C-alpha cells in the first residue's frame, strides 16, 4: 500500500536530492579525521584561514572514491558550480583548477539548499552594499538587476539602503581576515544564485513535475503485487523459487554470450564501423534485401524465430521454404494478422473480412489449419470485428511455425546453403594516413520512396 | 502462477482487510488517518521484505562472477550535431541506422542525417519544451509533443519548399505535458505518456484513443515497447518511483516495481524482452527481471550524485549506457554490475540517449544544445 502525499514541486525535489548528496560529500571533506587538510592561505597581504588548494580537493576525491583525475576534476567542478566550494582568487570564475589555487568551503548558512529561493530583499541589500562601498563595482548585469529591483521593491528602498549601511558599518568592526572571508562567502553565494545571464544557472530546471493527481488518497495496488509475489511461492518450495531466480539470471548471461559477436560496440563490425571509418560498406552489405547476406546475419536467424521473422531477407527465405512444404499460407496469415493489429482503425472491418475470406472460410484459397476450438472462437469474434479478433488464431499459427517449421528450416538445405554462401567481409586495414577523412556520402532518405532525384549527389563536407 | 495468499501471520493485524483488485482504487475510510495508514503499510512492507529475503534470491553479479571481465573501453564522439538553439530534450533513431530526429526547448524539431551531420528537415512547433519525439518505422514521418499536451505527427516531405507544419496531424490529447511518445510496429499507432499520470494508445489516422492506461500516481515520464514475440506489452516509469508493465490490449497493469528512491526518468527493455533497465533521479540505474518479478541489479557508485536521465542497452545487452544530469555518460557492465567507463564531452546535462538500431553507435542529446554520436 503506497499512499501518495507528494506535495513539493518535482523539479525542486530532484534538486534537493542532489544537493543533499553533495552536502554529504562536503561534510566528509571537512571531517577532522578523514577530510582535507586545510591551511592558512595568503591572499595579497591578508592570511585567510581554513583554505585548501584545488589540487588538495582533487587528491581527496581521487582517494575517497577511487576515480580518475578526470572524474575527480569533473566532480570537484560541480561542487564549485553549485556553490559548495568557492575560489578565493578570481571569484567570478566558478571552476576547479587542479593546481595550487586557493579554495574555501562555503558556510552552511549560504548553502544553495538552505537559502532557496534566494530572497529579493537580500539581493537588493547585497547590491546596495556593493554600490555604496565602491561606486561602479557592480558589473553590467548586476547594475541591470539593481535597477530592476529598485523599481520593483521601491516601497522598501529606504529599508534596503539602511540595512546595507548598517551591515557595512558592522563589518568594518571585524578583523580584516574575517571581513574578507565574509565578503567572499556572500559574493560566492550570489554568483551561484544570481548568475550572469548566459552562465550556468543551478536553478535552470525542466518544467514542473509531479502534479499530484487529486487530493484524495488512493490505495494503489503495490501491496497487492507484493502479496501476489510472495504467494506465488508455496510454503515448502523455496528451492523452486531459487531455481527460477537462478535460471532467469543465467539467461542473461546466455543471451549476452550468444549476441556478443553481433554487438558492434563489443566486438567491432566488419569491414569497419561506419561511424569510425566513415566507410558505409558495413551498411551497404547489410541492406534489407541484399543479394548475398553476411554470415553473422544468417547465423542470427538461428537464434530465435523472432530474429528470423524480423529480418526481411530471413522472412523471405522462410517463406520460400514454407512454400516448398505447402504451408506458406501460415506465414501469410500471420502477416495479415499483424497488418490488422497495427493498422488503421478505419480499415479493420475490411481487413477482417479479407482475412476470413482468404484464410478461414470453408474452402478458402489459403486455408490455415487451426484447431477447432480456436476456429470456433475466432469465427464468433468476427461477428463483431475488432483489432484483436485474430489474436488467438494468430498465436496458434505462430507457435505452430515456431515449434514445427522453424526448426526444420534450420536443418534444411535451403538454410545450410544460405549459410555457406554468406560472405564474411575482410576487416579494413587501418588507413596509412589516419587523419585523411573520407568523403561522407549521403544516402537516400527513407521518405523518398520511389523517387530518384538529383538530390542523390554525394554531399561533400 | 498465483497460489493462495498467505494471510495468517502477516495480515492478522487487519483481519477485515480482504484484498481484491477493486481495492486498488478504493477511497480511504474517513476514520483512517493518513499517518496511520502510512505507518501500517510500511510495517507490512518490511515484514514482506523479510519474508522475501528468506527465499535466498540470487543476485545477477554473483552468478556472473565467472564471466570474463570487459577490457579497456574506448568510445569517442564521432559526430557532433550542432544546430539547435536551445536545450536538446529528446532524440530517436530512424530504422535506416543513420538518421535521427531531435527536439528541443525552443520548439524546434530537426531531422538529421547523423552520418553526414546534414540537417534534412526542420519543424517549429507552436510550443516550447518539446520533450518527446519519435521516428516512424517507415522513416516517412516523425511524431513530437511537449508542453502543448499533444502529440502531433508530421509527414516528412521531400519538397524543400513545403512547410512541414502544413501537413501536421494532431493525434494525441492529454491534460498535461507529453513526456514520451513511440510508434508501435507501424506508422499507424502511437503510444504516449504524459504528466497527467496516464499513458495512451492512439490511432494516427483518426486521432482516436484506442486504450488508456491508468495506475501511476503522478507524472509518467518514460515508456518503452516490448520486443517480445507477442508484442503486447510496454513499460512506463514515473514520478511515483514506480515502473509498471502494461498489457496493451486490456489496459491493465500486469506488473509493478517500486525500488527506486526517486523519479524514474527512463525505462528500456533488455534486448531479449525478459528484463528492463531504469534510470532515476536517485542516481542509480536498476535492472528488473520480468519473469523472476524482481530487481536483480543496481548500477550505482558513490561518486555519482546526479540523476540518470536516459538509459539504453548495447545490442547484446552486455552494456548499459546511462546519460546523467552531471553531463557525463556512464557505461555499465550489465552482468557484473561494475562501471566500465565514463564518457565526458557534454557541457550540460545529458537528456536523451539511444543506441542505434544496428548497435554500431549511440547518440546522446544534451542541454548544451548539441547531440553527439559515440562509437
Amino acid at each position: 500500500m503506497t499512499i501518495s502525499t507528494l506535495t513539493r514541486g518535482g523539479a525542486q525535489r530532484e534538486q534537493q536530492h542532489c544537493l543533499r548528496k553533495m552536502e554529504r560529500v562536503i561534510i566528509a571533506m571537512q571531517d577532522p579525521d578523514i577530510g582535507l587538510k586545510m591551511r592558512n592561505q595568503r591572499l595579497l597581504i591578508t592570511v585567510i584561514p581554513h583554505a585548501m588548494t584545488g589540487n588538495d580537493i582533487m587528491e581527496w576525491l581521487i582517494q575517497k572514491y577511487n576515480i580518475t583525475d578526470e572524474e575527480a576534476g569533473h566532480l570537484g567542478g560541480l561542487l564549485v558550480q553549485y556553490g559548495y566550494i568557492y575560489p578565493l582568487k578570481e571569484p567570478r570564475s566558478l571552476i576547479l583548477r587542479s593546481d595550487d589555487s586557493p579554495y574555501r568551503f562555503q558556510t552552511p548558512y549560504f548553502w544553495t539548499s538552505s537559502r532557496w529561493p534566494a530572497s529579493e530583499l537580500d539581493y537588493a541589500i547585497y547590491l546596495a552594499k556593493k554600490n555604496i562601498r565602491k561606486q561602479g563595482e557592480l558589473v553590467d548585469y548586476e547594475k541591470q538587476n539593481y535597477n530592476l529591483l529598485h523599481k520593483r521593491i521601491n516601497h522598501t528602498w529606504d529599508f534596503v539602503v539602511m540595512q546595507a549601511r548598517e551591515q557595512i558599518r558592522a563589518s568594518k568592526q571585524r578583523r580584516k581576515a574575517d571581513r574578507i572571508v565574509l565578503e567572499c562567502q556572500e559574493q560566492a553565494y550570489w554568483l551561484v544564485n544570481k548568475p550572469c545571464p548566459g552562465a550556468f544557472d543551478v536553478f535552470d530546471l525542466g518544467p514542473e513535475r509531479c502534479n499530484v493527481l487529486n487530493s484524495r488518497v488512493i490505495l494503489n495496488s503495490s501491496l497487492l503485487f507484493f502479496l501476489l509475489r510472495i504467494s506465488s511461492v508455496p510454503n515448502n518450495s523455496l528451492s523452486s523459487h531459487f531455481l527460477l531466480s537462478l535460471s532467469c539470471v543465467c539467461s542473461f548471461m546466455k543471451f549476452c554470450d550468444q549476441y556478443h559477436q553481433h554487438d558492434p560496440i563489443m566486438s567491432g563490425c566488419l569491414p569497419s564501423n561506419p561511424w569510425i571509418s566513415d566507410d558505409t560498406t558495413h551498411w551497404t552489405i547489410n541492406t534489407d534485401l541484399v543479394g548475398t547476406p553476411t554470415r553473422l546475419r544468417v547465423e542470427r536467424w538461428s537464434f530465435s524465430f523472432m530474429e528470423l521473422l524480423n529480418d526481411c531477407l530471413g522472412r523471405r527465405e522462410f517463406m520460400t521454404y514454407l512454400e516448398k512444404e505447402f504451408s506458406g499460407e501460415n506465414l501469410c496469415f500471420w502477416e495479415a494478422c499483424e497488418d490488422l493489429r497495427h493498422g488503421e482503425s478505419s480499415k479493420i472491418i475490411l481487413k477482417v473480412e479479407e482475412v476470413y475470406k482468404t484464410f478461414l472460410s470453408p474452402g478458402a484459397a489459403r486455408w490455415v489449419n487451426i484447431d477447432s476450438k480456436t476456429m470456433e472462437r475466432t469465427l464468433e469474434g468476427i461477428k463483431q470485428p475488432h483489432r484483436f479478433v485474430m489474436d488467438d488464431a494468430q498465436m496458434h499459427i505462430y507457435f505452430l511455425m515456431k515449434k514445427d517449421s522453424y526448426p526444420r528450416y534450420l536443418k534444411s538445405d535451403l538454410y545450410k546453403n544460405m549459410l555457406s554462401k554468406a560472405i564474411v567481409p575482410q576487416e579494413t586495414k587501418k588507413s596509412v594516413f589516419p587523419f585523411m577523412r573520407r568523403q561522407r556520402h549521403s544516402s537516400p532518405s527513407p521518405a523518398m520512396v520511389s523517387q530518384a532525384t538529383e538530390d542523390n549527389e554525394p554531399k561533400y563536407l | 502462477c498465483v497460489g493462495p495468499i498467505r494471510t495468517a501471520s502477516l495480515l492478522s493485524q487487519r483481519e477485515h482487510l480482504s484484498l481484491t483488485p477493486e481495492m486498488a482504487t478504493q477511497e480511504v475510510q474517513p476514520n483512517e488517518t493518513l499517518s496511520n495508514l502510512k505507518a501500517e503499510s510500511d510495517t507490512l512492507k518490511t515484514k514482506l521484505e523479510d519474508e522475501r529475503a528468506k527465499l535466498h534470491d540470487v543476485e545477477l553479479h554473483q552468478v556472473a562472477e565467472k564471466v570474463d571481465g570487459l577490457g579497456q573501453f574506448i568510445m569517442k564522439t564521432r559526430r557532433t550535431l550542432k544546430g539547435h538553439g536551445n536545450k536538446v530534450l529528446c532524440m530517436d533513431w530512424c530504422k535506416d541506422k543513420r538518421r535521427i530526429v531531435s527536439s528541443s526547448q525552443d520548439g524546434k524539431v530537426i531531422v538529421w542525417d547523423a552520418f553526414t551531420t546534414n540537417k534534412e528537415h526542420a519543424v517549429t512547433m507552436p510550443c516550447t519544451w518539446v520533450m518527446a519525439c519519435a521516428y516512424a518505422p517507415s522513416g516517412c514521418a516523425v511524431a513530437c509533443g511537449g508542453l502543448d499536451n499533444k502529440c502531433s505527427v508530421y509527414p516528412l516531405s521531400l519538397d524543400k519548399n513545403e512547410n512541414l507544419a502544413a501537413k501536421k496531424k494532431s493525434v494525441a490529447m492529454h491534460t498535461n505535458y507529453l513526456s514520451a511518445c513511440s510508434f508501435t510496429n507501424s506508422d499507424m499507432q502511437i503510444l504516449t505518456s504524459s504528466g497527467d499520470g496516464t499513458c495512451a494508445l492512439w490511432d494516427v489516422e483518426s486521432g482516436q484513443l484506442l486504450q488508456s492506461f491508468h495506475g501511476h500516481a503522478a507524472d509518467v515520464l518514460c515508456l518503452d515497447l516490448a520486443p517480445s514475440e507477442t508484442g503486447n506489452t510496454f513499460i512506463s516509469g514515473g514520478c511515483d518511483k514506480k515502473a509498471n508493465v502494461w498489457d496493451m490490449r486490456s489496459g491493465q497493469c500486469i506488473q509493478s516495481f517500486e525500488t527506486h528512491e526517486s523519479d524514474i526518468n527512463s525505462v528500456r527493455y533488455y534486448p531479449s524482452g525478459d528484463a528492463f533497465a531504469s534510470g532515476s533521479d536517485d542516481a542509480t540505474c536498476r535492472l528488473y527481471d520480468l519473469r523472476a518479478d524482481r530487481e536483480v541489479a543496481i548500477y550505482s557508485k558513490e561518486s555519482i550524485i546526479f540523476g540518470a536521465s536516459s538509459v539504453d542497452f548495447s545490442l547484446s545487452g552486455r552494456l548499459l549506457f546511462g546519460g546523467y544530469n552531471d553531463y557525463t555518460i556512464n557505461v555499465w557492465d550489465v552482468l557484473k554490475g561494475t562501471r566500465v567507463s565514463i564518457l565526458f564531452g557534454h557541457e550540460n546535462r545529458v537528456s536523451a540517449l539511444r543506441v542505434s538500431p544496428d548497435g554500431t553507435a549511440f547518440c546522446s542529446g544534451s542541454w548544451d544544445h548539441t547531440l553527439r554520436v559515440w562509437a
Side-chain angles (χ1 to χ4, degrees):
Chain A
M1 184 187 340
T2 307
I3 299 160
S4 2
T5 50
L6 306 157
T7 47
R8 287 192 89 167
Q12 268 192 45
R13 272 184 313 114
E14 169 205 334
Q15 265 291 38
Q16 285 292 338
H17 226 93
C18 296
L19 295 176
R20 295 261 173 271
K21 283 194 210 159
M22 280 195 272
E23 283 155 22
R24 264 180 256 147
V25 176
I26 291 292
I27 290 170
M29 282 174 93
Q30 295 177 72
D31 183 283
D33 297 321
I34 58 165
L36 283 174
K37 294 288 168 278
M38 290 180 272
R39 55 186 94 99
N40 292 341
Q41 189 71 34
R42 192 164 283 278
L43 191 66
L44 297 176
I45 50 169
T46 328
V47 173
I48 313 281
H50 304 307
M52 62 259 178
T53 66
N55 214 21
D56 289 339
I57 298 171
M58 291 268 297
E59 289 294 324
W60 189 87
L61 288 170
I62 291 172
Q63 230 244 331
K64 163 97 164 120
Y65 294 114
N66 194 14
I67 51 182
T68 60
D69 278 16
E70 202 178 6
E71 196 176 348
H74 185 83
L75 182 55
L78 286 168
L79 292 172
V80 176
Q81 265 191 329
Y82 278 80
Y84 289 99
I85 295 176
Y86 61 90
L88 286 171
K89 288 201 192 127
E90 287 182 63
R92 287 188 188 278
S93 167
L94 292 177
I95 58 172
L96 178 70
R97 282 178 236 275
S98 57
D99 51 21
D100 56 3
S101 309
Y103 290 85
R104 280 190 102 244
F105 290 108
Q106 179 61 285
T107 172
Y109 178 79
F110 276 130
W111 275 356
T112 312
S113 57
S114 24
R115 306 176 65 66
W116 184 14
S119 144
E120 266 198 335
L121 197 60
D122 287 343
Y123 190 42
I125 294 170
Y126 167 71
L127 289 175
K129 271 198 299 188
K130 274 191 117 174
N131 210 18
I132 293 171
R133 263 205 305 260
K134 254 197 212 161
Q135 285 282 359
E137 195 184 274
L138 294 179
V139 293
D140 284 333
Y141 79 93
E142 283 173 336
K143 283 201 195 108
Q144 276 178 3
N145 288 341
Y146 186 68
N147 293 334
L148 270 167
L149 281 168
H150 186 85
K151 273 198 211 118
R152 195 150 62 220
I153 55 173
N154 197 285
H155 50 283
T156 57
W157 206 251
D158 287 342
F159 175 73
V160 166
V161 173
M162 186 193 76
Q163 268 294 306
R165 290 222 174 90
E166 184 53 40
Q167 287 184 14
I168 292 174
R169 194 190 60 77
S171 77
K172 283 209 175 103
Q173 297 183 336
R174 292 200 188 93
R175 288 188 314 135
K176 187 158 186 215
D178 288 345
R179 193 179 347 128
I180 293 184
V181 161
L182 281 165
E183 277 169 18
C184 286
Q185 285 173 343
E186 198 183 25
Q187 180 175 239
Y189 172 77
W190 289 112
L191 282 170
V192 168
N193 283 268
K194 291 275 183 228
C196 174
F200 176 75
D201 184 358
V202 303
F203 301 108
D204 190 10
L205 308 165
E208 254 326 301
R209 281 186 191 176
C210 208
N211 309 288
V212 178
L213 287 180
N214 41 40
S215 49
R216 284 182 325 176
V217 167
I218 300 172
L219 272 176
N220 65 29
S221 43
S222 60
L223 178 63
L224 191 63
F225 283 122
F226 260 133
L227 287 167
L228 287 175
R229 279 189 194 120
I230 291 293
S231 63
S232 70
V233 180
N235 276 340
N236 59 356
S237 97
L238 287 178
S239 56
S240 68
H241 176 91
F242 175 77
L243 284 175
L244 168 68
S245 213
L246 185 65
S247 80
C248 290
V249 154
C250 285
S251 72
F252 297 131
M253 293 178 2
K254 238 183 74 182
F255 186 92
C256 287
D257 192 43
Q258 189 179 43
Y259 280 84
H260 186 93
Q261 289 300 325
H262 298 254
D263 185 339
I265 292 177
M266 299 285 298
S267 314
C269 56
L270 301 170
S272 63
N273 189 319
W275 299 101
I276 300 177
S277 65
D278 288 348
D279 174 18
T280 57
T281 310
H282 175 75
W283 286 332
T284 46
I285 63 176
N286 280 304
T287 52
D288 278 355
L289 294 171
V290 72
T292 316
T294 61
R295 195 181 175 87
L296 275 180
R297 183 175 176 180
V298 180
E299 268 174 18
R300 211 164 145 176
W301 299 346
S302 67
F303 289 176
S304 73
F305 187 40
M306 204 169 71
E307 284 285 359
L308 179 66
L309 287 185
N310 281 344
D311 184 339
C312 326
L313 197 61
R315 197 191 284 201
R316 197 177 67 179
E317 286 294 301
F318 189 57
M319 180 67 96
T320 311
Y321 175 74
L322 288 178
E323 274 171 359
K324 281 208 179 133
E325 298 215 319
F326 304 106
S327 52
E329 66 278 356
N330 286 342
L331 188 56
C332 292
F333 175 67
W334 182 84
E335 285 182 332
C337 292
E338 282 290 283
D339 187 43
L340 166 68
R341 264 198 328 157
H342 298 289
E344 301 97 311
S345 294
S346 57
K347 302 208 175 126
I348 289 179
I349 296 180
L350 196 68
K351 285 183 182 171
V352 170
E353 247 184 69
E354 272 299 313
V355 169
Y356 173 72
K357 266 204 325 234
T358 319
F359 299 100
L360 299 173
S361 63
R366 315 205 68 185
W367 192 78
V368 286
N369 195 357
I370 328 177
D371 67 284
S372 52
K373 253 213 207 127
T374 313
M375 181 66 98
E376 219 179 281
R377 252 202 321 261
T378 309
L379 292 177
E380 190 58 42
I382 288 180
K383 295 188 183 151
Q384 285 173 326
H386 60 90
R387 188 178 291 276
F388 303 110
V389 74
M390 297 291 172
D391 271 14
D392 286 343
Q394 182 184 8
M395 191 103 72
H396 179 93
I397 293 294
Y398 179 85
F399 282 110
L400 186 67
M401 291 192 287
K402 177 176 171 178
K403 297 259 147 62
D404 183 38
S405 317
Y406 172 62
R408 282 188 290 113
Y409 166 69
L410 292 179
K411 299 200 187 96
S412 72
D413 287 336
L414 197 63
Y415 178 70
K416 293 202 176 119
N417 285 341
M418 203 59 167
L419 202 55
S420 60
K421 269 192 326 187
I423 56 176
V424 182
Q426 285 274 39
E427 185 177 0
T428 308
K429 296 272 191 306
K430 287 248 158 45
S431 156
V432 178
F433 302 101
F435 298 105
M436 193 171 85
R437 221 219 263 143
R438 301 175 77 118
Q439 283 163 358
R440 294 171 180 168
H441 296 289
S442 64
S443 74
S445 165
M448 190 158 57
V449 176
S450 52
Q451 295 168 27
T453 69
E454 312 84 277
D455 288 340
N456 265 349
E457 291 155 2
K459 298 208 168 38
Y460 298 102
L461 282 169
Chain B
C1 50
V2 176
I5 295 177
R6 267 194 283 169
T7 53
S9 57
L10 297 172
L11 299 178
S12 53
Q13 296 159 358
R14 277 284 218 137
E15 276 107 2
H16 60 282
L17 192 80
S18 62
L19 289 155
T20 60
E22 286 73 47
M23 252 194 66
T25 47
Q26 244 178 27
E27 273 194 67
V28 172
Q29 301 312 311
N31 58 350
E32 288 164 327
T33 67
L34 213 74
S35 46
N36 284 356
L37 281 168
K38 182 114 201 353
E40 188 169 342
S41 84
D42 285 341
T43 319
L44 279 169
K45 254 193 183 173
T46 321
K47 284 216 166 114
L48 285 164
E49 285 299 354
D50 290 343
E51 287 294 315
R52 294 196 70 245
K54 293 180 195 161
L55 298 175
H56 301 298
D57 280 330
V58 60
E59 296 299 321
L60 177 54
H61 67 89
Q62 293 168 306
V63 179
E65 257 162 37
K66 304 222 174 74
V67 175
D68 285 339
L70 296 171
Q72 253 284 340
F73 228 87
I74 302 174
M75 287 193 81
K76 295 193 196 151
T77 301
R78 305 290 174 177
R79 301 287 190 277
T80 307
L81 304 179
K82 295 191 189 161
H84 276 292
N86 215 315
K87 309 180 173 71
V88 176
L89 302 175
C90 186
M91 58 85 36
D92 191 19
W93 287 90
C94 175
K95 285 224 157 65
D96 77 347
K97 310 158 195 174
R98 50 189 281 172
R99 282 173 172 79
I100 278 174
V101 63
S102 59
S103 63
S104 80
Q105 180 193 357
D106 61 3
K108 280 257 173 22
V109 175
I110 300 180
V111 175
W112 319 70
D113 175 353
F115 188 70
T116 57
T117 72
N118 291 338
K119 298 188 218 2
E120 295 195 338
H121 306 271
V123 178
T124 307
M125 295 273 288
C127 69
T128 57
W129 289 93
V130 185
M131 293 177 267
C133 64
Y135 224 119
S138 67
C140 299
V142 292
C144 46
L147 285 186
D148 57 352
N149 302 356
K150 301 198 208 129
C151 184
S152 312
V153 175
Y154 292 84
L156 294 175
S157 161
L158 295 152
D159 183 349
K160 302 285 181 203
N161 297 323
E162 186 165 2
N163 181 11
L164 285 184
K167 290 252 176 74
K168 153 178 154 174
K169 204 186 288 188
S170 228
V171 175
M173 290 267 280
H174 279 280
T175 54
N176 214 311
Y177 64 86
L178 190 83
S179 54
C181 64
S182 174
F183 285 88
T184 63
N185 284 28
S186 77
D187 284 16
M188 300 300 143
Q189 291 179 316
I190 285 190
L191 192 58
T192 59
S193 65
S194 164
D196 65 13
T198 68
C199 299
L201 183 65
W202 311 82
D203 176 61
V204 173
E205 192 189 38
S206 61
Q208 185 196 11
L209 173 68
L210 298 174
Q211 184 64 261
S212 69
F213 306 89
H214 297 262
H216 277 288
D219 311 21
V220 186
L221 298 177
C222 51
L223 57 83
D224 192 32
L225 282 147
S228 73
E229 294 181 298
T230 44
N232 271 334
T233 58
F234 74 95
I235 42 176
S236 66
C239 286
D240 56 359
K241 312 176 198 172
K242 291 206 288 192
N244 290 341
V245 184
W246 306 88
D247 178 288
M248 286 215 276
R249 267 193 70 163
S250 60
Q252 292 297 323
C253 174
I254 53 182
Q255 267 177 295
S256 185
F257 301 89
E258 191 178 353
T259 60
H260 271 294
E261 294 163 19
S262 189
D263 302 2
I264 297 179
N265 297 314
S266 175
V267 286
R268 192 74 62 209
Y269 270 96
Y270 183 78
S272 71
D274 293 328
F276 70 93
S278 58
S280 160
D281 277 344
D282 67 6
T284 68
C285 297
R286 295 172 197 238
L287 186 70
Y288 298 91
D289 186 321
L290 292 165
R291 293 153 308 165
D293 195 34
R294 62 183 190 95
E295 176 191 289
V296 291
I298 303 183
Y299 307 101
S300 68
K301 219 171 164 342
E302 264 199 314
S303 57
I304 299 175
I305 290 174
F306 285 76
S309 62
S310 192
V311 298
D312 203 357
F313 286 98
S314 72
L315 192 138
S316 64
R318 181 66 192 267
L319 298 173
L320 180 68
F321 300 101
Y324 288 73
N325 290 338
D326 66 359
Y327 328 160
T328 66
I329 294 164
N330 287 287
V331 185
W332 302 93
D333 180 334
V334 171
L335 300 181
K336 289 189 175 286
T338 52
R339 186 182 64 186
V340 169
S341 185
I342 176 169
L343 303 173
F344 297 95
H346 279 297
E347 292 162 15
N348 206 322
R349 41 169 103 176
V350 178
S351 50
L353 192 154
R354 296 294 296 262
V355 172
S356 76
D358 62 350
T360 48
F362 73 86
C363 179
S364 57
S366 162
W367 281 19
D368 68 4
H369 309 189
T370 69
L371 293 120
R372 284 170 181 247
V373 179
W374 307 75

